[in-house]
Amino acid sequence: MLLANLLLAAVTYLSPVHFEVSLAGNFGEPRPNHFHGGIDIKTQQEEGKAVYSIGDGFVSRVSVDVGGMGNAVYVQHPEGYTSVYAHLQRFAPQLEAIVRKWQYRHQTTDLDIKLDATDFPVAQGQLIALSGDTGASMGPHLHLEIHQTDNWNMLDPLDFLPELLEDSIAPKAHSLMAYPIQGEGSFCGEGHQQKFDFMGFSIADSLTAWGKVGFGLYAEDFMQGSYNKYGVRNTVMLVDGKEVFRSEVDDIPVECNKMVNVWGDYDYFVKNQQWFLRSYLLPGCKLPFIKTDDSKGVVDFCEQRDYMITYVLSDFFGNSSRYSFVVAAKPDSIPIVQPDDSLVLKTDGDNSCKTEGLEVYVPSGALLDEAKVNPVALRAGRKKLSNNYLLANKSIPLCKKAKIRVKLAGEVEDEQKLFIAARKRDKKNELDPDQDRILFVDAGLKDGWVEGEISDLGDLFSVDYDDVPPVIKPVNPREWANEPLLVFDVKDEKSGVKTFMGFLDDDFIVFDHVKKSSKVLCDLRNTPVAPTGKERQLRLLARDHKGNESVFDTTINY
């Protein structure tokens, strides 16, 4: 670690923007199913701000509409790191030319291409793109990540750009959650989790415990000049002055991304939109930046006395705050865990669960924590291809996909059009069986069963059928005569649009996504097709995930 710190100290990178930096998000913030892998630099609520390479290197990868990143540029640096710039409006002209050439050669809009060191070398401070709002962005900003190139670990960009901004505000703790270990502890006479709010730097409630109890903290960091809230970089928990837990969120292996759901209280977050991060380890949490004592951070209130619990929170800039409270350990009965009829899926080893017409196989390593399921069939309406199936009463995201098999009810004209529809839960973890919005799960028919792979055991599943092609509608076609900016709305209500392609007199032309919409556009002036002033044949083709295809033909003067 010392050698790594010395090497890092020798690396000098510069800001990717030429204006005063304020952050909309910091590294390691807990999000559902992932940590925030970089920093979000505000761009004054505007797009089109110049984005520069933070160091020497070469563009090693460029992607368009991949994994929520929108337009993204990857710069590999000789020091062993790769910087990533995402949600871009557009690329620098020379890089844009490489992208367009690839799109026309492969007749596609979306891409994810690797480049050699000689394809596009860059110098520190060289323009590589303009900032934007593409992909899964919630507003104009620049998302900057830094990865260790050899293993792709996510690293805190502030470690590489310590002079990027200033901050003098310490993190703040809002609430404490007590988690009595089932069958082994109680807190305030109860065996279930309980929340207590901080008043100033302590808790006013009288707290008692007996046996084994874990704790979790809802805390946030702040910076002057901004209303945004950030994740806390460093958290230490002390019991009677002895450290039992420490987290320093500065280096996250990408394969550990979903462990945020088990370090944090995922169930509570889904219902309340607040992250309580545990100060103890569940078996599925193997985040390397967390260190605990031999008890995994669980406190054993086994002596009849007062225990002093202290939290120390600090940010990247060294601002710190300290919170302390007393828990009185008093002998008390430990609530007995009441058994129920649920099937318990274990974290180690393969699991399966079945009910009539449904089979689910969960591979070893897919679950971060034990999960209780109770598969039930909800009768569907007439002419449905299966019942609706529910496994659990809450969202249970998986680290690995599980195999699902649903029995097909009835006959279909074309078995290639079958798929599994997954209906997602809302922000309150509630489910509407009649909602129209579905998640497409690719599936095939085998021996009367429709088989696919799923990522969340808490969805509502059913067999569906899609033989309806996408709908293509021109947008303001009367304006095309004045300006060669072609816009179409392309939608598919079932399996979703998979690809689209445009042609002008049989020559392929690139249509780009219109951000945050189902529209696509092509500015003919940015295509290799030269204007003739004559009538031309324009065609847009769209295909959904089940192979249904629509073609829109028209003529334009260009």
Side-chain angles (χ1 to χ4, degrees):
M1 187 65 180
L2 177 60
L3 178 59
N5 289 335
L6 291 174
L7 291 173
L8 185 57
V11 177
T12 302
Y13 291 128
L14 299 179
S15 172
V17 295
H18 289 177
F19 52 81
E20 185 176 351
V21 168
S22 178
L23 297 187
N26 71 337
F27 178 79
E29 287 180 12
R31 309 270 176 94
N33 302 311
H34 71 285
F35 292 93
H36 189 230
I39 59 175
D40 289 341
I41 297 174
K42 296 181 181 180
T43 55
Q44 300 153 351
Q45 299 181 337
E46 298 177 0
E47 298 185 53
K49 298 289 186 179
V51 177
Y52 306 93
S53 176
I54 63 172
D56 295 337
F58 69 95
V59 174
S60 59
R61 179 181 174 191
V62 185
S63 63
V64 173
D65 204 43
V66 173
M69 300 286 274
N71 298 327
V73 174
Y74 299 68
V75 176
Q76 185 170 321
H77 305 284
E79 299 84 12
Y81 306 106
T82 296
S83 54
V84 184
Y85 314 76
H87 307 315
L88 305 170
Q89 182 190 66
R90 60 188 306 136
F91 308 111
Q94 305 94 318
L95 192 55
E96 182 83 16
I98 293 175
V99 169
R100 285 301 192 201
K101 183 178 180 181
W102 198 96
Q103 289 172 319
Y104 276 94
R105 179 186 301 162
H106 295 84
Q107 295 194 352
T108 183
T109 296
D110 300 343
L111 58 87
D112 188 2
I113 57 177
K114 303 289 180 63
L115 302 180
D116 293 329
T118 56
D119 290 335
F120 198 87
V122 295
Q124 186 176 63
Q126 180 176 331
L127 177 73
I128 55 174
L130 299 180
S131 68
D133 186 24
T134 57
S137 167
M138 301 300 290
H141 71 278
L142 171 64
H143 177 77
L144 173 68
E145 296 182 3
I146 296 181
H147 294 257
Q148 191 167 323
T149 303
D150 59 354
N151 59 19
W152 210 240
N153 279 17
M154 302 180 290
L155 308 174
D156 190 346
L158 293 184
D159 282 324
F160 298 81
L161 300 163
E163 308 298 325
L164 189 65
L165 70 164
E166 296 181 353
D167 173 33
S168 59
I169 302 178
K172 178 181 180 181
H174 303 296
S175 305
L176 175 83
M177 191 76 78
Y179 299 91
I181 306 303
Q182 287 195 338
E184 299 184 65
S186 67
F187 199 83
C188 292
E190 303 289 345
H192 57 80
Q193 67 185 63
Q194 300 157 68
K195 182 172 79 77
F196 304 89
D197 294 330
F198 282 98
M199 301 295 292
F201 294 92
S202 188
I203 294 175
D205 302 79
S206 178
L207 306 178
T208 63
W210 190 248
K212 296 180 179 180
V213 180
F215 293 99
L217 199 66
Y218 168 42
E220 295 171 318
D221 195 14
F222 302 85
M223 295 183 186
Q224 63 261 35
S226 173
Y227 292 104
N228 294 87
K229 300 173 183 179
Y230 311 96
V232 177
R233 171 143 166 165
N234 301 303
T235 302
V236 176
M237 188 178 92
L238 308 170
V239 178
D240 296 331
K242 179 183 176 182
E243 182 177 311
V244 300
F245 173 91
R246 173 183 294 268
S247 64
E248 184 174 3
V249 191
D250 61 349
D251 184 338
I252 307 173
V254 289
E255 62 270 19
C256 296
N257 231 338
K258 284 197 174 181
M259 290 182 187
V260 68
N261 292 344
V262 71
W263 179 29
D265 188 335
Y266 177 79
D267 292 342
Y268 189 90
F269 173 81
V270 170
K271 292 182 178 180
N272 301 281
Q273 303 300 297
Q274 295 175 349
W275 277 110
F276 278 86
L277 300 180
R278 292 182 173 89
S279 309
Y280 67 103
L281 289 178
L282 294 180
C285 186
K286 297 178 174 59
L287 292 166
F289 59 77
I290 291 179
K291 310 297 180 185
T292 69
D293 63 357
D294 292 339
S295 297
K296 305 295 184 183
V298 174
V299 183
D300 190 358
F301 294 96
C302 57
E303 299 177 8
Q304 191 172 347
R305 62 178 178 85
D306 287 347
Y307 288 71
M308 176 64 72
I309 311 296
T310 301
Y311 277 98
V312 181
L313 311 178
S314 57
D315 60 21
F316 168 82
F317 303 92
N319 305 302
S320 65
S321 54
R322 191 179 187 93
Y323 296 80
S324 296
F325 54 92
V326 173
V327 178
K330 299 178 180 180
D332 196 0
S333 59
I334 305 297
I336 299 174
V337 180
Q338 298 297 326
D340 58 34
D341 296 331
S342 299
L343 174 65
V344 178
L345 306 183
K346 302 292 187 178
T347 58
D348 52 341
D350 298 334
N351 296 274
S352 66
C353 50
K354 302 178 182 180
T355 190
E356 185 176 355
L358 173 73
E359 297 178 357
V360 177
Y361 302 90
V362 184
S364 178
L367 290 165
L368 292 172
D369 194 13
E370 290 185 353
K372 290 184 176 182
V373 297
N374 186 19
V376 294
L378 307 176
R379 191 174 299 279
R382 295 177 61 188
K383 297 184 179 181
K384 294 293 184 179
L385 297 175
S386 76
N387 288 321
N388 292 319
Y389 291 97
L390 192 62
L391 292 167
N393 60 2
K394 63 179 183 178
S395 171
I396 305 177
L398 302 172
C399 290
K400 298 178 182 179
K401 289 190 175 183
K403 182 179 179 181
I404 184 171
R405 303 178 75 226
V406 182
K407 187 72 173 179
L408 177 64
E411 298 181 354
V412 294
E413 183 176 341
D414 184 356
E415 66 181 45
Q416 299 299 321
K417 305 299 183 183
L418 291 167
F419 68 98
I420 292 176
R423 287 171 170 81
K424 308 294 292 184
R425 296 178 179 273
D426 62 19
K427 289 185 177 181
K428 295 296 183 181
N429 215 8
E430 296 174 351
L431 195 59
D432 179 7
D434 298 320
Q435 64 172 294
D436 293 328
R437 188 176 64 86
I438 60 175
L439 176 69
F440 167 78
V441 177
D442 198 11
L445 183 65
K446 183 178 180 181
D447 299 328
W449 292 78
V450 182
E451 300 182 349
E453 293 184 326
I454 58 176
S455 300
D456 193 322
L457 298 181
D459 295 342
L460 184 73
F461 304 103
S462 62
V463 174
D464 212 329
Y465 186 83
D466 184 9
D467 62 354
V468 179
V471 176
I472 302 174
K473 292 183 179 180
V475 178
N476 299 324
R478 293 181 180 179
E479 298 180 5
W480 296 355
N482 302 321
E483 187 177 22
L485 188 63
L486 314 178
V487 183
F488 288 89
D489 193 17
V490 185
K491 293 181 178 178
D492 189 90
E493 300 298 336
K494 283 278 191 173
S495 60
V497 177
K498 182 178 182 180
T499 60
F500 54 85
M501 300 170 66
F503 297 89
L504 191 63
D505 289 343
D506 296 325
D507 290 322
F508 174 78
I509 53 176
V510 171
F511 274 82
D512 294 310
H513 298 275
V514 177
K515 65 178 185 179
K516 322 300 182 198
S517 78
S518 56
K519 297 181 177 65
V520 299
L521 67 85
C522 175
D523 189 338
L524 290 176
R525 293 164 295 192
N526 295 330
T527 70
V529 180
T532 64
K534 298 179 181 179
E535 188 174 87
R536 314 285 286 271
Q537 187 72 29
L538 173 65
R539 166 172 290 191
L540 183 66
L541 178 151
R543 185 178 296 114
D544 65 22
H545 284 87
K546 297 311 297 183
N548 304 300
E549 185 174 285
S550 289
V551 177
F552 184 92
D553 284 309
T554 189
T555 57
I556 62 171
N557 289 318
Y558 181 68

